[in-house]
Amino acid sequence: MKKLSFYFLFLSISITSFAKNNADTINAGLKLPAGFSATKISEGLGRARHIVVSQQGTIFYKSSKLVNGKGIFQLKNLNGKAELITSFGKYIGTGIAIRNGYLYASSDEEVFRYKLNEKDEVLNPDQPEKIITGLINRHQHESKSIAFDNDGNIYVNIGAYANACQEKDRTLHSKGRMPCPVLDSAGGIWQFKADKLNQTYADGIRYATGLRNVVGLDWNAQTNSLFVMQHGRDQLHDNWPEFYDTKQSAELPAETMYELHRGSNCGWPFIYYDPMQHKKMLAPEYGGDGKKSWDEYLNENKNGGLVIVNYKYNQDKTSLINDMDYARKAYDKTIQDPAIAFPAHMGPNALLFYTGNQFPEKYKNGAFIAFHGSWNRAPELQKGYFVVFVPFKNGKPTGEWEIFADNFAGGDQFMEPNKAQHRPCGLAQGPDGSLYVSDDVKGAVYKISYKK
Amino acid sequence: MKKIFSVILFLLFVVFVNAQTNQQTLKASIDRGQKIYFKVCLSCHMLDGGGVPHMNPPLSQSSYVLGDKAKIIYIILHGLETREPIDDEYYSNNMAAHTDLNNQQIADVLTYVRNSFGNKASAVSVAEVKAVRSKKK
C-alpha cells in the first residue's frame, strides 16, 4: 500500500511537471482570454523597448542595449517565427514609430527618422535625419517615448530627473523644492513638428506639464487627443515613514492615465493620486501628511498656492515664445484628474488604442496597456508584469479594466523583480489586427491573435 | 620544557578565545546590519541583494561590495549619482545619501552586505567609517 501511494505521488509529480512544460509552449506561457492565442516569434536580441509593425507586416523595435553596436532591429514574420533582416542605429533608446513613409526612433536625448521605401527597406541606416536634439537626460526617467497627431506634430515625453523634486532626491525627510526647477525642461510632454530638422527646446512647445514620467502614450483618433500613462512617484514609506507604513507605500500612489490638451497640468510633484480614496493628495514633500487632499489645500490657499508660484517661475525662467498656453495656465490653478487610475507601482510602459478588426467588437477603440511590473512594492510581493485592456465608450474609459495577457513573469509570487522571466514594455498593432508585445528582459516579441 | 609547553598552551587558548569573540562580534554586527538593511536598503536592492534590472544595482557579487571598503562607505555617506557603469551595466536611478545612519550602523549594514547574498568579505569597522566620514567630500 505504502509502495502504491509512493507510486501515485511520483505519477502526480510527473503529471504536474508535464502540465507545466506543456503550459510553457501553449500560448508561449501566457494566460489569455478564450479565443486568443499567442506565439513568441522572436527572442534573445537586445532588450526590446517599444515596437512598431508596418502595413506590410515588417517589425521594428528599439532596444535599450546595443547588439553588435546596433539598437534598432528589423524583423520579418515568416511562418510563425520572425527573422532578423537587419539592424542599425548606433544608440540605445525606447521610442519607435512609423509615420508618412519614415521610421522614427529615439535615443535618450534625440529623435531621428529614416526614410523607408515601398518594400520597408531603410535607405539611409547610417545617416538618419535628426528631428529633435538636446533633450535632457539625467540618469533617471530618461526614455523619450514618441507619438503623432494628425496635424503634423510629434509628441515627446521628457521625464522628470527626480522622484518628487526634493532638495535631495529620494532622501529621508528632504523637502520639495519650491518652485520645482525640474519642470522648466522636463516632467511633461513637449510638442514638435514631425518633419522639421534639428529642433531644440526653443522650437518646441511645453504641451503638458506636471507629469513625472510617461513611457506609454498614444494618440486617440476618436477623441483627436493625446492620452498618456504616468508612472506615479516612489518611496512614500522610505522618505516619510511617519505618514506611510510599508503596506500603504506599496499601494500608493496610483498609476494614472490622462487625456491631455495643450496646457494640461497633471500636478507632479505637488500631488499624487490615491486610488482607494479617488482623490488628489498633497505630497508629503510639500506639506502633506497622507491625509490632506489637494482640494483641502486649495481651500486653505485660495490663490492657488504652490501651483501658481511654480507656473510663474517656470514661465519666466524659460520664456519660450511658443509657451503662451503655459502663461495663460499660470492663472489657472486646476490640476487635472486622471481619466482612470490603476494600482500603484506597476509601471505602465506602453499604451495602444486598438483600431483593428480582428479582435471582438468590445476591443475596438479601447486601450491596451503594457505594465512593466513593479519594484517599489517590496517587502510586499511585486505586481504588474501583464497587459491590461480598458474598454472605452465615447472616448472615455468605462471604468472597468481587466488583465488581458498575464504570466509574462512566469509566476506571480515573487518579491524580487529579477525573478521575472519577461517584462512587457511595448505594444504594436499588426496590419491584420494582431497585437504585438515586446519584452525588455530577453528581447522577446509575442504575437497575440484571435480566432472565433 | 614543561613551562614552555604550558605557555604555548596558554597562547593557543588566547588565540582560540579571541577567534571565538571575533566570530561573535562579527555575527552580532551582521545581525544588527540585517535589521538596518531590511529597513533602509531592501526597498531598492531587494531581499536577495539582486537589485532591480537597469534600475538599482545588485549587491551580490558586486565588485564594489567586495572591493575597496572606503568606496562603499563613501557611497552610503554621500549617495551615488555617477552615471558610470557598475560591472558593465548602467542603472537609471539615484541612491540617496544616508546621513541619518551613524558610524556603527554603517559599519554593521556594510558588514551584513559583505557577508550575505553569497558574498564573503571582511567586516567593516567603526574606525573605517569614521576615517571616511572625517575626510572632506
Side-chain angles (χ1 to χ4, degrees), chain A residues 342-418:
Chain A
F342 298 88
H345 305 303
M346 302 198 307
N349 270 9
L351 171 66
L352 179 130
F353 287 104
Y354 185 76
T355 56
N357 295 318
Q358 184 190 115
F359 290 6
E361 188 54 31
K362 86 165 198 192
Y363 292 97
K364 188 100 185 196
N365 299 315
F368 285 103
I369 302 163
F371 284 97
H372 199 218
S374 65
W375 64 272
N376 198 220
R377 288 176 48 83
E380 303 296 312
L381 293 177
Q382 303 299 346
K383 261 194 197 165
Y385 305 85
F386 47 49
V387 175
V388 151
F389 177 71
V390 189
F392 266 61
K393 222 182 206 153
N394 305 325
K396 298 250 177 298
T398 55
E400 285 143 53
W401 59 274
E402 58 196 46
I403 296 175
F404 173 74
D406 202 356
N407 203 37
F408 287 88
D412 56 4
Q413 298 294 307
F414 57 93
M415 198 222 276
E416 293 100 352
N418 65 358

Side-chain angles (χ1 to χ4, degrees), chain A residues 47 65 138-140 142 161 169-172 235 238 375-376 378-379 382 415-419 423 440, chain B residues 39 42-44 46-48 50-56 81-83 89 91-94 96-97 100:
Chain A
R47 297 180 193 134
K65 187 187 174 82
R138 293 209 190 144
H139 195 50
Q140 191 174 172
E142 66 268 51
Y161 46 92
D169 193 28
R170 298 178 188 266
T171 301
L172 181 71
Q235 294 193 278
D238 289 346
W375 64 272
N376 198 220
Q382 303 299 346
M415 198 222 276
E416 293 100 352
N418 65 358
K419 298 273 191 305
R423 303 180 77 175
D440 68 349
Chain B
K39 215 172 135 212
L42 181 146
S43 81
C44 291
M46 299 291 146
L47 185 66
D48 64 352
V52 179
H54 322 308
M55 186 146 210
N56 305 320
E81 308 185 2
T82 52
R83 281 154 216 144
E89 280 283 351
Y91 293 92
S92 301
N93 200 3
N94 290 331
D100 51 309

Side-chain angles (χ1 to χ4, degrees), chain A residues 15-300:
Chain A
I15 286 171
T16 33
S17 63
F18 172 73
K20 194 171 169 291
N21 280 339
N22 217 14
D24 282 348
T25 49
I26 292 173
N27 292 328
L30 301 187
K31 286 184 195 142
L32 299 164
F36 287 90
S37 63
T39 48
K40 198 191 277 177
I41 58 171
S42 176
E43 183 161 19
L45 266 179
R47 297 180 193 134
R49 296 285 290 175
H50 282 176
I51 181 166
V52 66
V53 182
S54 80
Q55 279 312 310
Q56 273 116 235
T58 310
I59 302 159
F60 296 93
Y61 68 80
K62 188 81 203 77
S63 173
S64 58
K65 187 187 174 82
L66 299 183
V67 178
N68 298 326
K70 309 291 167 55
I72 302 172
F73 301 105
Q74 179 174 357
L75 293 85
K76 188 95 197 161
N77 209 340
L78 297 164
N79 309 322
K81 283 279 165 223
E83 256 173 45
L84 180 71
I85 296 174
T86 182
S87 57
F88 51 98
K90 297 176 185 131
Y91 49 93
I92 58 165
T94 292
I96 197 152
I98 294 175
R99 197 73 181 178
N100 292 338
Y102 285 95
L103 176 75
Y104 286 74
S106 68
S107 70
D108 294 335
E109 302 88 17
E110 299 182 304
V111 179
F112 303 93
R113 73 174 183 185
Y114 304 79
K115 185 99 190 99
L116 297 171
N117 70 10
E118 64 288 346
K119 285 189 252 151
D120 281 344
E121 289 161 341
V122 176
L123 301 179
N124 53 351
D126 294 324
Q127 286 100 29
E129 291 181 334
K130 195 178 278 180
I131 300 297
I132 308 164
T133 184
L135 303 179
I136 219 158
N137 168 10
R138 293 209 190 144
H139 195 50
Q140 191 174 172
H141 308 146
E142 66 268 51
S143 64
K144 303 292 182 287
S145 308
I146 53 176
F148 296 87
D149 64 16
N150 296 317
D151 296 312
N153 298 306
I154 181 171
Y155 298 83
V156 186
N157 166 63
I158 307 177
Y161 46 92
N163 177 34
C165 211
Q166 289 163 288
E167 278 157 15
K168 290 197 169 124
D169 193 28
R170 298 178 188 266
T171 301
L172 181 71
H173 296 153
S174 177
K175 287 220 154 47
R177 297 174 73 181
M178 193 59 219
C180 173
V182 173
L183 292 167
D184 67 6
S185 53
I189 304 290
W190 265 252
Q191 185 198 58
F192 296 90
K193 293 271 170 279
D195 56 5
K196 196 176 152 201
L197 305 191
N198 297 313
Q199 297 170 89
T200 62
Y201 274 104
D203 302 298
I205 293 171
R206 179 170 28 202
Y207 189 76
T209 191
L211 287 156
R212 178 175 173 275
N213 186 31
V214 167
V215 187
L217 74 176
D218 196 16
W219 190 261
N220 184 323
Q222 289 230 302
T223 56
N224 206 30
S225 56
L226 184 69
F227 280 73
V228 300
M229 293 295 311
Q230 177 182 234
H231 284 216
R233 51 90 42 89
D234 305 324
Q235 294 193 278
L236 281 167
H237 168 76
D238 289 346
N239 291 171
W240 307 95
E242 66 277 40
F243 301 139
Y244 307 89
D245 62 25
T246 50
K247 282 219 157 62
Q248 291 167 317
S249 195
E251 307 299 344
L252 287 172
E255 306 289 49
T256 41
M257 175 193 280
Y258 295 98
E259 178 179 5
L260 299 183
H261 298 286
R262 194 167 157 170
S264 285
N265 178 11
C266 300
W268 181 89
F270 312 115
I271 63 126
Y272 65 83
Y273 196 78
D274 181 325
M276 278 79 76
Q277 299 190 60
H278 306 285
K279 272 186 195 162
K280 289 173 293 208
M281 306 296 288
L282 184 63
E285 288 77 9
Y286 291 91
D289 56 2
K291 296 194 180 72
K292 186 179 272 187
S293 72
W294 177 248
D295 289 345
E296 283 164 331
Y297 171 84
L298 276 188
N299 268 337
E300 293 162 15

Side-chain angles (χ1 to χ4, degrees), chain A residues 183-184 206 308-331:
Chain A
L183 292 167
D184 67 6
R206 179 170 28 202
I308 298 304
V309 178
N310 193 73
Y311 260 133
K312 286 185 180 151
Y313 167 83
N314 280 301
Q315 175 60 27
D316 293 346
K317 192 168 170 239
T318 48
S319 62
L320 301 177
I321 311 154
N322 296 323
D323 233 1
M324 290 314 292
D325 287 85
Y326 199 83
R328 179 182 55 72
K329 270 277 174 180
Y331 300 95

